[in-house]
Amino acid sequence: MSYTTLEQLADKVRNSGRGARTVSVINATESHVLEAVRDAREDGLITPVLFGDKDVIAEQLELLGLSPADFAIEHAASPEEAAVLAGQSLASGRADFLMKGNIPTGNMLKALFSKEAEFRTGNLISHLSVIELPDHPKLFGLTDAAINISPDVEQKKGIIRNAVATMKAMGFVSPKVAVLASTEVPNPKMQATMDAVEIKKAGAAGELGDCVVEGPISYDLAMSPESAKIKRFDSPIQGDADLLACPDINAANVLIKALRYAGHSRSAGIVIGGRGPIVLTSRAAATQDKYWPLVLAASATLGDN
């Protein structure tokens, strides 16, 4: 299945028959986080469990005109303890995914990666964005713009494996994966192209999950059927990529920001590879920017369709 808007992912969650997804919010003491949680809760997408200082959370809820009695609040003495307790709620099956609240990302991940939190599964942790681009016929994924800085070829396989599994859980069928480089011609002087050759072989061998892998491939050939036709690029993707696998964090970060500010796209990102997704947004992000990752994470917990 293909989606054209982020709203369609929200509709999928509402209409799944699985009910609202439970999210454990780590140190839920910040108003924009609670506003996004409120909106997603009112839309029938999530049931939140709020971890952190109980008094501060209650105060913030009241400032938003909400009754603390209407929310599940679990006290934690510190942001790090909130992360551990939230991780445990995920491991025990009480929660479907996590959301970062008022805690630095590094501190949160360190706490979640502790044995006590039971968050790690042995898989590589990576980041996946889903992008809605005006005049483009469907949503597509982009990875990894936030976690892995300069992945080697084995790490790239892990990043793609994570993304494919997550997108299939959202409802994408056999995602078409474009392993990006500046050219579609393998060049020993360009490591990204040589990595792409090996990754394509791994995809053909079924090592990356149920997906179609092409690489190396340039952005225009991955995203524009017209360009693929003009250049006579013979590929199962032919400008119809579902997932853009970038060579490193620099390329991914530049590309996603170019799509946002020059292409006027909307996007949402989550951290994947652990026991469940993490909604990871900037503390300075607006409420709406925190809402869409909640939709993304909720849809990613519905299971392979």
Side-chain angles (χ1 to χ4, degrees), residues 41-160:
R41 178 175 179 256
E42 290 177 353
D43 287 348
L45 300 173
I46 64 165
T47 298
V49 181
L50 309 178
F51 290 85
D53 186 304
K54 193 169 186 177
D55 293 336
V56 175
I57 293 172
E59 179 183 3
Q60 291 296 317
L61 288 170
E62 289 170 349
L63 288 173
L64 293 173
L66 301 170
S67 171
D70 292 336
F71 290 82
I73 303 174
E74 299 200 15
H75 182 75
S78 68
E80 291 75 18
E81 182 182 359
V84 170
L85 293 175
Q88 291 173 347
S89 73
L90 192 63
S92 67
R94 293 175 53 219
D96 297 299
F97 66 98
L98 306 178
M99 182 181 191
K100 173 182 174 289
N102 189 13
I103 179 174
T105 300
N107 292 13
M108 179 192 71
L109 292 177
K110 183 178 180 180
L112 285 176
F113 290 174
S114 68
K115 289 184 179 181
E116 185 182 6
E118 301 180 74
F119 176 75
R120 296 300 298 267
T121 63
N123 294 332
L124 182 74
I125 302 298
S126 60
H127 188 268
L128 171 67
S129 296
V130 171
I131 299 169
E132 177 186 320
L133 183 64
D135 300 322
H136 192 71
K138 64 181 181 180
L139 297 182
F140 59 93
L142 185 150
T143 193
D144 174 341
I147 300 294
N148 294 283
I149 296 173
S150 184
D152 61 26
V153 68
E154 291 303 319
Q155 290 170 324
K156 289 177 182 180
K157 291 177 185 177
I159 289 168
I160 293 170

Side-chain angles (χ1 to χ4, degrees), residues 4-20:
T4 58
T5 66
L6 292 170
E7 282 85 0
Q8 288 177 335
L9 282 178
D11 289 340
K12 180 178 178 63
V13 177
R14 294 189 194 97
N15 300 327
S16 69
R18 301 279 300 278

Side-chain angles (χ1 to χ4, degrees), residues 190-203:
M190 301 175 69
Q191 188 59 47
T193 67
M194 305 311 293
D195 287 353
V197 170
E198 187 170 340
I199 292 167
K200 181 178 178 178
K201 291 178 181 177

